[in-house]
Amino acid sequence: MKKELNFSSVKWIISVSTLILFICSSLRHELFQSTAYDLGIFDQAIYLISQAQPPISSYLGFHILGDHAALIFYPLALLYKIYPTVYWLFAIQSIALAIGALPTWYLAIQAGLKESQAIAMVYVYLLYPLLFNVNLFDFHPEVLVVPALLTAVLAARKRQLWWFCLNIFLVLGCKEVLSLTIAAMGVWLLLVEKRRLYGAIAFISGIVWFLIATKGIIPFFGTEAASVERQLGKYSYLGSSFIEASKTLLFRPAIILENLFSLDNLQYLVMLLVPVIWGLSFQGLKHLIAVVPCLALNILADYPFQKDLLHQYSIPILPFLIVSVISTLAAGKGWLQNKRTIILWSLITFLTLTKFTYFGGRYLKSIDNWQATKQAIAQIKTKSSVYTTTQISPHLSQRKLIEITNKNSSTIDLQNFNYILLNVRHPGLGSTTEFATNLVNQIKNHHEFYLAYQKDDVYLFIKT
């Protein structure tokens, strides 16, 4: 009876968490804080798929599969067939992140934790700062891997083969680099969990899909140069090609060590581990084998976004941190054992490391002409081409051609666009007020456009 009552509580916790996450991501979008990279990219691609059109991203300049071989966009497009709206993505993301608490609960019960500790682990998962923060950062298909990885672990332990395979393939379809996590998970299942069949399936699937995605799908749908730039751009100190990177790794280890043992990496590891540091032990470290590829990619990168709890790059680490903490508690170890103290620690780290305060400051920067921007968007009645700012673009990305303003880009051919929407007061990422002002003056003198709307430094030009 008590177990059923606690399970009912878990369902309520998940429901409330889903609602909170959805409201937060939707509100951020409504405040024009979402961006072309990455929400606009994914929204455009999924919309085009739903319309049976090739998902050629006008942001990237190539087919969406040439980005990260994310096949998951195709089933997601079925939702856009019902009604094309970006809020589907926010809903899916909120549900995926929140529902990860369910396999967390089952794993805790299966490991022999007390009912109170199992409930505590649900809160540990939901209050982990990365979960809330990544929900605010547009939409990324990687969020789907959190419940999928936790469920795959549960399925392997319960010897549910088909359920295990389904979740493994779901993870592989979200991003090519996640195949390394799946391969490492296979090693963990073989060595630690003693699930040979499951480990072999994960390891072989991960390696095979990595080769197919990186050597076949991405170069085919994108370009070889773009593929190399995308994969090595965040490791510029290694070289500009795979050959140079290999030589650096083999013959210049000092450079690797210099980047490895850095203050940025130390800060990143502290932020990553502090929320669960109380529940980590030598007993549980063996369960972190699967995070080695993801963690290595993050700490070796010279790209700062891979070393924080704000972006999606650390998402594959979270499920195995949870598994590790559960293992520690099951062994009767860990600094904290009591439900209240565990939840209190999680709450403190949540309040310290999450960006909920952005809603009281940073996200309100463009509120002074928010209404004018909404009114201008409402006057764009067709799916014709648009040239606009990076913050406005996710509200208009459901079309074949949309491009964003960039003060560093080469001369743009304005004749390619039917609508030009600019916010001079808040010109967006990659632009400046001076650039936007000059662009407005240029378009005013362009005989093919007329000024259809102007208010509070928001300008909408329409092609005659």
Side-chain angles (χ1 to χ4, degrees):
M1 182 66 179
K2 184 178 180 181
K3 184 176 180 179
E4 292 179 359
L5 183 62
N6 283 327
F7 180 69
S8 178
S9 299
V10 170
K11 290 191 292 185
W12 274 104
I13 293 169
I14 291 173
S15 299
V16 172
S17 298
T18 301
L19 183 60
I20 292 173
L21 292 173
F22 178 72
I23 290 173
C24 288
S25 57
S26 300
L27 180 58
R28 177 181 181 268
H29 179 65
E30 280 298 310
L31 292 171
F32 293 103
Q33 296 302 312
S34 52
T35 64
Y37 291 84
D38 294 318
L39 184 61
I41 293 173
F42 297 149
D43 182 50
Q44 182 190 36
I46 296 172
Y47 170 76
L48 291 174
I49 293 171
S50 73
Q51 300 300 305
Q53 299 181 40
I56 308 297
S57 170
S58 58
Y59 297 102
L60 300 174
F62 50 81
H63 196 288
I64 193 63
L65 289 182
D67 187 25
H68 290 295
L71 299 177
I72 192 67
F73 293 133
Y74 284 86
L76 289 179
L78 296 175
L79 296 172
Y80 275 51
K81 282 186 172 294
I82 300 173
Y83 183 78
T85 174
V86 73
Y87 292 97
W88 280 120
L89 303 184
F90 296 142
I92 291 167
Q93 181 163 263
S94 303
I95 293 169
L97 290 172
I99 209 168
L102 189 59
T104 296
W105 158 264
Y106 280 121
L107 284 167
I109 294 297
Q110 185 191 56
L113 268 61
K114 293 184 291 187
E115 295 283 329
S116 60
Q117 290 178 321
I119 288 289
M121 284 307 306
V122 168
Y123 282 103
V124 169
Y125 167 80
L126 290 171
L127 291 174
Y128 190 82
L130 176 63
L131 188 143
F132 181 84
N133 289 339
V134 77
N135 178 69
L136 292 181
F137 181 44
D138 292 355
F139 165 83
H140 295 88
E142 293 98 310
V143 298
L144 300 176
V145 312
V146 181
L149 286 172
L150 287 166
T151 304
V153 172
L154 182 65
R157 288 179 172 177
K158 297 177 71 173
R159 302 184 187 278
Q160 297 175 335
L161 182 60
W162 291 110
W163 194 231
F164 172 80
C165 292
L166 177 64
N167 283 278
I168 290 298
F169 296 148
L170 172 60
V171 174
L172 294 175
C174 290
K175 194 175 184 179
E176 89 286 3
V177 74
L178 293 169
S179 57
L180 299 179
T181 296
I182 293 299
M185 180 183 180
V187 175
W188 170 69
L189 288 169
L190 284 165
L191 300 180
V192 179
E193 296 290 303
K194 307 303 180 184
R195 295 290 193 270
R196 294 183 179 179
L197 175 61
Y198 297 83
I201 290 173
F203 181 78
I204 295 172
S205 299
I207 297 299
V208 170
W209 181 248
F210 181 78
L211 294 174
I212 292 174
T214 59
K215 300 301 181 183
I217 295 175
I218 292 176
F220 179 80
F221 287 100
T223 65
E224 188 67 32
S227 176
V228 172
E229 181 181 353
R230 179 171 52 256
Q231 296 179 54
L232 291 179
K234 299 169 186 176
Y235 308 88
S236 57
Y237 66 95
L238 294 177
S240 58
S241 68
F242 288 117
I243 294 177
E244 289 183 12
S246 300
K247 289 180 179 179
T248 301
L249 290 169
L250 291 173
F251 304 115
R252 302 177 65 187
I255 294 180
I256 308 299
L257 294 175
E258 181 181 344
N259 283 271
L260 188 63
F261 296 101
S262 66
L263 187 60
D264 287 343
N265 281 338
L266 177 61
Q267 181 179 338
Y268 168 58
L269 291 174
V270 169
M271 289 191 298
L272 194 67
L273 298 179
V274 158
V276 293
I277 192 68
W278 57 269
L280 297 180
S281 65
F282 289 110
Q283 168 77 20
L285 287 180
K286 61 187 178 182
H287 299 291
L288 299 181
I289 293 175
V291 311
V292 170
C294 179
L295 186 61
L297 288 172
N298 290 344
I299 63 176
L300 287 174
D302 54 4
Y303 183 59
F305 289 172
Q306 285 188 234
K307 303 175 190 291
D308 60 32
L309 296 188
L310 304 179
H311 301 88
Q312 74 277 14
Y313 300 102
S314 298
I315 273 290
I317 297 175
L318 175 56
F320 297 99
L321 282 177
I322 296 299
V323 171
S324 180
V325 172
I326 289 174
S327 174
T328 297
L329 289 177
K333 299 180 180 179
W335 301 350
L336 305 178
Q337 296 284 332
N338 181 268
K339 173 185 173 182
R340 289 187 178 181
T341 54
I342 291 174
I343 295 176
L344 179 61
W345 181 281
S346 297
L347 183 59
I348 291 172
T349 55
F350 176 87
L351 296 175
T352 304
L353 296 174
T354 55
K355 302 305 178 183
F356 66 92
T357 55
Y358 282 8
F359 287 102
R362 181 171 179 172
Y363 289 166
L364 300 179
K365 285 183 177 180
S366 59
I367 197 70
D368 52 351
N369 63 359
W370 175 87
Q371 186 175 17
T373 307
K374 295 289 288 185
Q375 290 172 351
I377 291 173
Q379 295 196 37
I380 299 179
K381 305 293 187 181
T382 71
K383 296 295 184 181
S384 299
S385 54
V386 171
Y387 183 52
T388 188
T389 71
T390 184
Q391 272 84 2
I392 295 176
S393 66
H395 296 258
L396 294 166
S397 49
Q398 293 180 5
R399 60 196 69 241
K400 289 184 69 174
L401 177 59
I402 181 169
E403 294 188 18
I404 56 176
T405 57
N406 187 335
K407 63 183 179 65
N408 297 319
S409 64
S410 57
T411 303
I412 191 79
D413 188 356
L414 298 177
Q415 294 183 356
N416 291 332
F417 305 100
N418 294 92
Y419 301 96
I420 300 176
L421 176 55
L422 303 171
N423 187 337
V424 173
R425 192 180 302 175
H426 305 289
L429 298 173
S431 185
T432 63
T433 298
E434 180 183 5
F435 174 82
T437 301
N438 292 335
L439 190 56
V440 166
N441 293 331
Q442 177 187 345
I443 303 170
K444 282 181 177 179
N445 296 321
H446 202 298
H447 69 278
E448 291 192 25
F449 290 90
Y450 72 92
L451 183 60
Y453 181 88
Q454 177 185 353
K455 184 180 179 182
D456 296 336
D457 295 325
V458 175
Y459 297 83
L460 173 64
F461 296 92
I462 300 179
K463 202 175 207 178
T464 56

